[in-house]
Amino acid sequence: MEEFGPLKDLLKAFTQSSFTRYVVNGDGVRIQLRQRPNSERRASPGTDHPKIHQESRPSRTQNHEAGKVIASPRVGHFFPLRNQMGELALKEGDMVEQGQPFGLVESMNLKYEIRADKSGLVEKYLIEDGEAVEFGQALILLK
Amino acid sequence: MFNKILIANRGEIAVRVIRACRELGIGCVAVYSTADRDALHVRLADESVCVGDPAPSDSYLYIPNIIAAAEITGADAIHPGYGFLSENSNFAEICKECNITFIGPTPEAIDNMGNKSQARKTAASHGFPVLEGSSGALKDLADAHRIAERAGYPVILKAVAGGGGKGMRIVKSAADLERQFNTAQMEAKSAFGDGSVYLERYVGKPRHIEVQILADKEGNVLCLGERECSLQRRHQKLIEESPSVAVSEKDRKNLSEWATKLVEAVSYQNAGTVECLRDEKGRFTFMEMNTRLQVEHPVTEMITGIDLVKEQIRIAAGQRLRMKSKDVILRGHAIEFRINAEDPSNNFAPCPGLITRLTLPLGPWVRVDTWVESGTEIPPFYDSLIAKLIVWAPSRVEALARARRALDEFKIEGIKTTIDFHREVIRDHRFVSGDYDTSFIEQYLKS
């Protein structure tokens, strides 16, 4: 098992980092690491309560016109669909058709396929791979 | 203790639970539907997660998104409040499977007590008086005659499958039984597709009295006195008070003993309420047990000084109750008024809409549990409860004076509410005297 030593070191460094995704390509080997974002959601709770009476809490969707985004129909962690090479199945600049699957939302150890609720040209993803999403949160901005 | 609690509810009870979390130093997560984006509970919580569209079945009742919200925020417990998922044993079971503590009884206890006929049998077998009657559906007319004789006339026939008065018949004497039995069966058949009816002693001038209990995981039980909830309209409580003028010290002791025995017998945990009927002769019988926090819990809090929501959280976290029933002191008198967005002059029709101006009553021993402010838009999708006014005073007479004062101060403009209705009711001599029963509000509305 000696040859896994460097891989273990890499895993350790990765889990201690703030990166959510790390990809290594080379010599016909591709290593892709992903972890859930180490955001405030994981912060040790009960330590600070900064948001009392915060006026007009920023909504994750409010900066986008409803007609120009594809929103999440579920709550969970979002993962975009990838092909066998690990590339995004739907990339920025691609056309997306209504009903086309483009990602998964995972919750309760189940994965739910997410399909586009409208067609359009993908301008950009508004969310990181593996990031938590709420209902109605904008996932993809369309041109 | 928990690190973070998700509150699977909205409105005043979500705000109530968030306040308890804050005082305990526990993080809190609000969930909300798209209709509640700007609601107070969302603003008060540390974090919030939108869980669906306005219809309750798409959001506050949609278990996958509620559990997912707990997962993505790292909440280790869920408080269900009342209503919505609070008495859903399936939800409690799913929480368990997902390693999230459901702040409430076990799924088994919810099921055992949720089955009303089963709960009644359990109560009876542990010495809690129940209404004499058939233990299930009547076999035939002869069966009805035999059981009616034993229970004593008048008796009432009720549909096994039903509720809401359908298939319900009061029988004054044996001579009347055959006709009423046939009618009840026909009504039950047409309303519920099941003609079976049961029979029990008819309770004249019934008062709805309920007992609050807390039980920890080690089997310690705390009984926190009764609440008088007879002021109801169509089974919706409007005013609650504690203590009840119809409960003597001896009654209170009996109720406490019966409730404690029942709770111990079913190994019940967390907060629960044992609902009883008191008849005109002062006899108490078991009705059902509610396996959750009640809307009217503040009146108990006011006379005991015990924060029921914090106790629920402590119990769910495995802590032991810190006192015994004999150490509970019931002090003074508390009354709660439910302020609903309803129009009493139009058959209490719900009145959603924009609150243009809100003036809350303040001053000594006045508590308001609410989620609305000036500028709040009441959505039409949910319960019409917008606030609870609770007053405390050393005696009932003083509590009534304080209630009158507070209700006079309470102003909500823009929508119709039940405030003025309460102002009238508490000036009625029957309410002032305490000599009322569950028919009072209907009679009052007719007069």
Side-chain angles (χ1 to χ4, degrees):
Chain A
M1 303 304 266
E2 200 53 37
E3 67 264 36
F4 289 115
L7 191 56
K8 278 185 185 165
D9 291 342
L10 177 63
L11 262 176
K12 194 176 168 193
F14 178 67
T15 51
Q16 287 173 355
S17 76
S18 59
F19 298 117
T20 55
R21 189 158 166 248
Y22 183 75
V23 184
V24 191
N25 271 314
D27 291 339
V29 177
R30 180 186 158 87
I31 299 171
Q32 182 180 335
L33 300 174
R34 282 201 306 220
Q35 66 176 346
R36 287 175 180 176
N38 190 18
S39 64
E40 80 286 348
R41 294 183 196 97
R42 303 277 160 202
S44 72
T47 49
D48 62 331
H49 302 290
K51 290 176 186 165
I52 296 182
H53 279 297
Q54 177 185 321
E55 290 305 317
S56 68
R57 167 182 293 266
S59 160
R60 298 180 209 202
T61 53
Q62 71 180 186
N63 295 327
H64 307 286
E65 288 172 44
K68 295 187 88 180
V69 297
I70 296 173
S72 175
R74 299 193 76 93
V75 181
H77 288 98
F78 175 78
F79 301 98
L81 285 187
R82 289 175 184 277
N83 61 24
Q84 288 181 331
M85 298 299 289
E87 296 157 342
L88 291 176
L90 180 67
K91 293 187 289 294
E92 290 168 8
D94 287 353
M95 276 302 292
V96 62
E97 295 293 324
Q98 186 177 358
Q100 182 182 336
F102 66 93
L104 300 167
V105 168
E106 186 184 332
S107 67
M108 297 166 72
N109 292 322
L110 295 169
K111 291 184 175 70
Y112 300 90
E113 191 174 72
I114 306 297
R115 292 166 179 265
D117 58 358
K118 54 180 79 69
S119 306
L121 186 66
V122 176
E123 183 165 333
K124 64 171 179 175
Y125 279 84
L126 297 167
I127 158 175
E128 295 284 315
D129 194 344
E131 197 179 321
V133 294
E134 63 181 354
F135 175 86
Q137 182 173 345
L139 302 173
I140 290 178
L141 181 63
L142 300 175
K143 263 186 185 148
Chain B
M1 185 43 85
F2 305 114
N3 286 320
K4 202 186 273 185
I5 294 174
L6 180 139
I7 298 103
N9 216 303
R10 65 179 299 281
E12 70 84 20
I13 194 60
V15 172
R16 169 75 189 86
V17 178
I18 289 168
R19 286 179 172 146
C21 290
R22 284 210 179 281
E23 291 179 20
L24 288 169
I26 300 171
C28 45
V29 182
V31 294
Y32 63 97
S33 76
T34 50
D36 281 336
R37 201 173 284 285
D38 300 319
L40 183 62
H41 76 283
V42 179
R43 280 184 286 131
L44 284 180
D46 299 318
E47 296 169 65
S48 58
V49 179
C50 182
V51 289
D53 282 323
S57 57
D58 293 335
S59 48
Y60 298 106
L61 289 171
Y62 190 58
I63 295 174
N65 278 356
I66 301 273
I67 297 280
E71 284 181 350
I72 66 170
T73 54
D76 45 3
I78 294 182
H79 195 301
Y82 52 69
F84 292 130
L85 296 167
S86 61
E87 290 173 285
N88 184 324
S89 60
N90 180 41
F91 178 63
E93 188 69 50
I94 291 170
C95 287
K96 202 168 156 188
E97 283 164 16
C98 294
N99 283 323
I100 298 166
T101 305
F102 175 81
I103 301 178
T106 60
E108 297 77 25
I110 296 174
D111 278 339
N112 287 341
M113 288 293 129
N115 179 331
K116 290 183 189 181
S117 64
Q118 179 64 39
R120 203 165 84 147
K121 272 184 207 162
T122 310
S125 67
H126 292 91
F128 209 125
V130 294
L131 273 183
E132 299 94 354
S134 58
S135 52
L138 294 165
K139 288 191 208 76
D140 50 29
L141 185 62
D143 196 28
H145 270 296
R146 191 173 51 78
I147 292 164
E149 287 302 328
R150 200 178 62 205
Y153 286 95
V155 296
I156 186 164
L157 294 161
K158 292 180 183 173
V160 170
K166 295 266 166 53
M168 215 178 263
R169 281 275 178 271
I170 297 166
V171 189
K172 295 206 171 92
S173 67
D176 203 22
L177 185 61
E178 183 172 357
R179 189 172 60 88
Q180 300 285 28
F181 180 65
N182 291 336
T183 314
Q185 278 187 321
M186 274 192 313
E187 273 188 16
K189 177 80 181 164
S190 73
F192 310 110
D194 175 1
S196 46
V197 294
Y198 67 97
L199 176 155
E200 62 192 19
R201 193 180 78 215
Y202 174 71
V203 176
K205 291 192 174 179
R207 294 182 82 121
H208 174 129
I209 311 267
E210 59 186 31
V211 182
Q212 176 69 52
I213 63 97
L214 284 171
D216 66 21
K217 293 186 177 183
E218 293 176 23
N220 302 302
V221 180
L222 202 53
C223 194
L224 300 172
E226 78 283 356
R227 290 185 290 260
E228 164 73 67
C229 307
S230 299
L231 291 184
Q232 309 179 353
R233 183 185 161 272
R234 300 196 177 164
H235 300 287
Q236 292 294 317
K237 296 165 189 166
L238 285 169
I239 303 175
E240 301 97 347
E241 55 181 319
S242 185
S244 166
V245 298
V247 174
S248 67
E249 266 312 314
K250 186 165 168 280
D251 292 335
R252 191 165 293 120
K253 192 164 163 285
N254 284 338
L255 287 169
S256 170
E257 270 175 27
W258 294 333
T260 303
K261 261 193 207 160
L262 172 62
V263 163
E264 283 172 349
V266 295
S267 303
Y268 190 85
Q269 294 169 14
N270 218 284
T273 297
V274 181
E275 292 192 344
C276 307
L277 271 186
R278 178 194 181 274
D279 71 10
E280 54 197 325
K281 291 176 183 160
R283 292 176 295 189
F284 289 86
T285 46
F286 173 86
M287 261 201 304
E288 63 180 71
M289 182 162 179
N290 293 321
T291 57
R292 56 171 157 80
L293 187 70
Q294 302 275 103
V295 175
E296 60 274 22
H297 74 274
V299 292
T300 299
E301 295 185 321
M302 299 295 263
I303 64 156
T304 59
I306 292 171
D307 185 318
L308 288 171
V309 178
K310 282 190 201 167
E311 291 305 320
Q312 282 194 294
I313 294 169
R314 289 193 182 105
I315 290 168
Q319 293 185 13
R320 187 188 293 175
L321 286 169
R322 292 165 300 171
M323 62 195 299
K324 299 200 182 310
S325 286
K326 65 176 172 55
D327 302 322
V328 174
I329 297 166
L330 305 180
R331 206 173 142 263
H333 197 94
I335 312 177
E336 176 184 277
F337 301 86
R338 297 195 191 189
I339 314 300
N340 296 333
E342 292 173 354
D343 181 3
S345 65
N346 184 20
N347 211 16
F348 289 80
C351 276
L354 180 70
I355 294 180
T356 53
R357 192 183 161 103
L358 172 74
T359 310
L360 293 179
L362 299 167
W365 290 287
V366 172
R367 165 177 170 181
V368 182
D369 283 16
T370 186
W371 65 280
V372 300
E373 304 153 293
S374 293
T376 298
E377 177 90 34
I378 314 288
F381 311 103
Y382 314 109
D383 189 274
S384 56
L385 181 71
I386 53 172
K388 303 186 305 203
L389 165 66
I390 308 106
V391 298
W392 180 92
S395 67
R396 188 169 188 267
V397 171
E398 291 161 286
L400 286 173
R402 180 158 287 146
R404 280 194 291 274
R405 185 273 284 176
L407 284 165
D408 288 347
E409 282 180 31
F410 207 155
K411 299 273 187 281
I412 298 179
E413 291 170 28
I415 56 164
K416 298 262 178 32
T417 74
T418 50
I419 293 175
D420 287 345
F421 176 77
H422 288 310
R423 293 177 65 221
E424 292 165 18
V425 167
I426 62 160
R427 287 170 167 86
D428 187 284
H429 68 94
R430 288 164 291 183
F431 180 69
V432 172
S433 70
D435 183 20
Y436 60 80
D437 59 61
T438 53
S439 65
F440 172 77
I441 295 289
E442 295 296 341
Q443 286 173 6
Y444 177 86
L445 288 168
K446 279 182 202 154
S447 62

